[in-house]
Amino acid sequence: MMAELRCALRVDRFANIKVSFVTTRGPGSILLSPLFLAQAIVRLVLLRLLGRADVVHINLSAFGSTYRKLILARISRISGLPYVLHLHSDQFDRFWDSQGSILKKEIDLMFLRSERIIVLGNYWKRVVSDRVPDCSAKIIIVPNATRAAGFRDPNIMKQAADILFLGRLGLRKGVPELVRALASLGSKSGWRATLAGDGAVGDTRAAVERAGLGDRVSVPGWVGPAQVEALLRAANILVLPSFSENLPMSVIEALAHGAAVVCTPVGALPDLIEHERTGLIVEPGDVEGLASALGRLIDDPELRQRLGENGRTLHKTRLAIEICAERLVAIWTEAVHPEER
């Protein structure tokens, strides 16, 4: 998401906005994280002292991300810098509630002292407002976004069903249930599937083989950006039967490419995926319902086409990275000049 945003902010209409991207975690071992955090703090303080920082945008997730961002938020307050929180985690509600009283108060204070709080959907707006009611007025919904997809062969939607899963393989994303649903479709012709991502790759491959799907279902493991793009261009169905999500990028990318989406109504997904209009909704853990939804799309190319076209329109009007960039710049400007609201 931040890589997409970095590119979008380089266009001429944002020439008066200078954005510095700083990591507090860094790549590689978690043991190196304190070094990246220290560098981020030093850079923030220096930019402030040089008069080159007006607002801090803090991307916030659960666990280690929160511990680092609590420090960054406090440094921002000490430095007199307004900050905006941007909540990304699909587990932040449970994480927040599980904290002891001292840490929970620190998290509450981080939200209370922010100038704006960006969430990805209505569910996450309720998560924050229910726990810190005084923050309700400054919560803004800005969904994740991607650039528009390039050329895609329009005949793909009429071809045999090419089902794609993109994400971390494992229990949380509903992958075991997906394999069982695909197994129940084994006798149906005209489909193939790719389950791509890191995580429980070996377990997923073994489950596919046990289900007798080795000739129909590919499990390539982690794939890079170029491979992801190729898979999205070839797919006409994107499936994500997760038990928890915030707002997954794979669904937004699939909408951009015009693939028909099958997903669960978790996190912010119900804000975007309307059953029978921009996708098909199944309940988490419902193997029979998942198999039925996939079976409908396998058998009905016209349904795939209609859902894909509606999804692409949705992306163009609400989920394009240019729209997101415009909204974030407006939020940053308001955070610096709250009197102009």
Side-chain angles (χ1 to χ4, degrees), residues 90 165-168 170-178 238-246 248 250-251 262-267 269 282-286 290:
D90 70 309
F165 169 93
L166 281 175
R168 189 171 181 81
L171 298 176
R172 186 174 64 82
K173 297 280 190 178
V175 174
E177 288 77 11
L178 175 57
L238 184 286
V239 59
L240 191 68
S242 300
F243 286 85
S244 69
E245 289 288 353
N246 194 317
S250 62
V251 169
V262 179
C263 67
T264 49
V266 296
L269 283 169
V282 297
E283 291 301 315
D286 183 1
L290 181 58

Side-chain angles (χ1 to χ4, degrees), residues 70 96 100-110 112:
L70 283 170
W96 199 346
S101 59
I102 294 176
L103 189 55
K104 190 174 184 304
K105 287 180 181 178
E106 283 297 311
I107 296 173
D108 292 354
L109 182 64
M110 175 172 62
L112 283 166

Side-chain angles (χ1 to χ4, degrees), residues 68-287:
R68 296 190 299 273
K69 304 313 167 47
L70 283 170
I71 297 171
L72 203 63
R74 184 170 288 275
I75 295 294
S76 298
R77 295 197 295 269
I78 293 171
S79 302
L81 271 172
Y83 63 88
V84 172
L85 292 178
H86 195 168
L87 183 59
H88 295 278
S89 173
D90 70 309
Q91 304 177 61
F92 202 84
D93 46 357
R94 297 187 295 277
F95 168 78
W96 199 346
D97 293 341
S98 70
Q99 300 307 299
S101 59
I102 294 176
L103 189 55
K104 190 174 184 304
K105 287 180 181 178
E106 283 297 311
I107 296 173
D108 292 354
L109 182 64
M110 175 172 62
F111 278 90
L112 283 166
R113 295 291 182 85
S114 65
E115 283 295 323
R116 299 287 186 278
I117 300 164
I118 302 169
V119 295
L120 307 186
N122 281 295
Y123 174 81
W124 298 102
K125 182 176 182 178
R126 292 192 296 272
V127 164
V128 177
S129 60
D130 287 351
R131 289 159 179 77
V132 193
D134 289 346
C135 288
S136 298
K138 58 185 177 183
I139 302 173
I140 304 169
I141 296 175
V142 181
N144 281 338
T146 66
R147 72 189 72 183
F151 173 77
R152 175 181 165 98
D153 184 352
N155 293 318
I156 284 176
M157 296 306 281
K158 301 174 184 177
Q159 296 171 2
D162 190 320
I163 302 167
L164 176 62
F165 169 93
L166 281 175
R168 189 171 181 81
L169 300 170
L171 298 176
R172 186 174 64 82
K173 297 280 190 178
V175 174
E177 288 77 11
L178 175 57
V179 174
R180 286 160 56 196
L182 292 173
S184 72
L185 298 173
S187 61
K188 187 183 289 292
S189 63
W191 69 272
R192 61 184 180 272
T194 302
L195 314 184
D198 59 358
V201 177
D203 290 344
T204 304
R205 286 174 178 162
V208 167
E209 290 299 327
R210 286 195 301 270
L213 296 172
D215 60 337
R216 283 196 149 176
V217 179
S218 170
V219 186
W222 183 87
V223 291
Q227 293 169 290
V228 168
E229 178 65 18
L231 288 169
L232 285 165
R233 285 178 181 271
N236 45 36
I237 301 170
L238 184 286
V239 59
L240 191 68
S242 300
F243 286 85
S244 69
E245 289 288 353
N246 194 317
L247 184 55
M249 294 295 288
S250 62
V251 169
I252 298 174
E253 290 170 329
L255 293 171
H257 283 79
V261 171
V262 179
C263 67
T264 49
V266 296
L269 283 169
D271 293 1
L272 300 179
I273 305 302
E274 181 182 344
H275 187 59
E276 302 278 357
R277 185 173 178 276
T278 53
L280 297 180
I281 298 288
V282 297
E283 291 301 315
D286 183 1
V287 175

